[in-house]
Structures are given as C-alpha cells and as structure tokens.
Amino acid sequence: KQWYQRRVAITAGDLRKLKVSPDSICQLSFQMANWRFKREFVGSYESCSTAAFKYGRTETIRPCTKETKACSIAFDKENPAQLDEMSELLSACSKKHNKLTKEAAMGAGFDRHLFALKFLNNKLNGAPLPIFEDPNHAKLNYIILSTSTLVSPALEVGGFAAVVPDGLGIGYAMFDDWFGTQASYYPPGNDGSEFIKELTGVCEDLKTVLNGKSFKESRQV
C-alpha cells in the first residue's frame, strides 16, 4: 500500500530564508515522525549522487544520527526542553546532515567502502571478517526507513516500495511553496497512513520552532 500527502507547513523557500538546509529538515521530520509513531530509532537510508566525485554512482547518507535522536526526543510535548534548546538541536541536525551529505557526495561515505571490502574478501575466498559478523552491522543494514527525493516541476512526487517487510519506502519532494511525501508499506508490517499522520504534526511543530515560538503551550514563557 501507499499513502501520500502534500503540505505547506514547511517549504524550501521558507527554510532557505532561515538559512536551514531543506533536506536536513525533511530527513529530521522523518526521524521524528517515526519516533512518535514507533518510539524507536531505526536503520535509515538516503541516496546521494557521487557525480561530484567520480562516474555519478551513489553513496548512502545515514540520516539517523545522535543529533536527530536528541532533537526528536526534545520535541516530545512532555519533554522539558525549551525553545532555545530545541532551536539549537535543530541547528545541530542541519549542520550534521550537511556534513554527511558532502562526505557522501565526495566518496567519503562508509557504506560503499564496506561493500567493496566484503565483495573483494568473498571473491578472494578470505576468512570471514568480524565486522560483517557483528549484529550491529546487520541492524544498521536492515533499512526500516528507505528514503529518496526527486524534485522536478514535471512531477509532484516519486515513490518506491519499502525494502523490508516492516519498513517504509519514503519518496519526497520539497519545493519553494509545498512539501510532498509518499510512504509505501506492506501491511501489517507497517502503516504508512499513521506515519504520514505523525509527520503532519511534526511539520507543524518544526514550523513553530523555526519561527521562534514554542508549541509546548504549558511551558511557553
């Protein structure tokens, strides 16, 4: 199944005026929505072209970071984090995402290097490498949130299937005046409609904080 929604709470035009990376906020919103929906942080994938490096293939950006985790938790309505702290966490997420994007685009990500290491080791009949036997490696590569963006005036949004039975395939596009997101999923493993519902609330909360206000009414000063 798939679920699609177009919204205007946060847009590329507004984010650029605030000097915040639009893609970093898109990715943060997905992490935050999944946290509110599932109360967990999971293996996440974002594709990145390496055309600036060589041959134009792809590298992986890992958008689930300690920065997005801290920000997602701070944005819980019951969390005591105030406006200043939430704003600082947003800024930290943007800076970290920009750094990861630049590294991936220039061939300095780690996923393709690990893939090549594993491939060559298997081809040469080498002994099993401990890193690939580590359960954390398996967890990292079990991609629950698989995301990719395609921005074109000819398209409203692109989409693709989830890559694991309990995952979400998130296609998204952010324009100057709107933000579209499509979530594909395999019932009953996941529920894209609930994810999109949470995402709607997340975008409203992000917009409020980015505009210098708190959505935690009882704690406003």
Side-chain angles (χ1 to χ4, degrees), residues 122-138:
N122 291 341
K123 187 176 181 179
L124 297 172
N125 297 315
L129 300 176
I131 187 173
F132 300 120
E133 304 295 321
D134 193 306
N136 289 309
H137 181 267

Side-chain angles (χ1 to χ4, degrees), residues 14-217:
D14 290 338
L15 292 173
R16 280 194 290 268
K17 290 176 184 176
L18 295 167
K19 298 182 179 180
V20 178
S21 161
D23 192 61
S24 74
I25 297 300
C26 290
Q27 290 294 333
L28 173 60
S29 73
F30 303 149
Q31 294 297 322
M32 203 173 286
N34 192 68
W35 166 246
R36 292 186 181 184
F37 176 31
K38 295 285 191 176
R39 307 309 285 181
E40 62 180 356
F41 298 98
V42 298
S44 306
Y45 168 95
E46 178 184 5
S47 60
C48 177
S49 170
T50 58
F53 171 61
K54 195 172 186 180
Y55 299 144
R57 301 302 298 170
T58 64
E59 175 57 283
T60 300
I61 299 171
R62 294 288 184 165
C64 183
T65 65
K66 64 180 182 180
E67 287 83 4
T68 60
K69 178 181 179 180
C71 194
S72 297
I73 293 172
F75 268 65
D76 279 345
K77 288 183 171 61
E78 64 274 15
N79 190 284
Q82 297 293 312
L83 177 61
D84 286 349
E85 181 179 353
M86 290 189 290
S87 297
E88 289 175 4
L89 289 169
L90 276 177
S91 178
C93 287
S94 183
K95 290 176 181 177
K96 182 59 175 284
H97 190 75
N98 287 344
K99 179 176 182 292
L100 293 176
T101 301
K102 290 176 182 177
E103 290 175 348
M106 295 308 297
F110 65 84
D111 277 87
R112 298 299 180 258
H113 292 279
L114 289 177
F115 172 80
L117 177 62
K118 185 176 183 179
F119 176 82
L120 289 173
N121 186 66
N122 291 341
K123 187 176 181 179
L124 297 172
N125 297 315
L129 300 176
I131 187 173
F132 300 120
E133 304 295 321
D134 193 306
N136 289 309
H137 181 267
K139 184 176 182 180
L140 179 70
N141 288 286
Y142 190 84
I143 305 298
I144 299 292
L145 298 182
S146 182
T147 76
S148 186
T149 184
L150 177 60
V151 178
S152 166
L155 299 172
E156 185 154 311
V157 73
F160 55 92
V163 298
V164 293
D166 54 343
L168 291 169
I170 303 172
Y172 66 101
M174 181 176 277
F175 295 88
D176 283 344
D177 54 355
W178 61 275
F179 174 30
T181 311
Q182 181 262 353
S184 298
Y185 60 104
Y186 304 107
N190 213 316
D191 189 340
S193 63
E194 286 298 318
F195 174 82
I196 292 292
K197 178 181 176 182
E198 294 292 350
L199 184 62
T200 299
V202 163
C203 288
E204 292 292 343
D205 291 345
L206 286 169
K207 178 182 179 180
T208 301
V209 172
L210 286 165
N211 286 327
K213 299 178 182 178
S214 176
F215 60 88
K216 301 177 181 181
E217 295 180 357

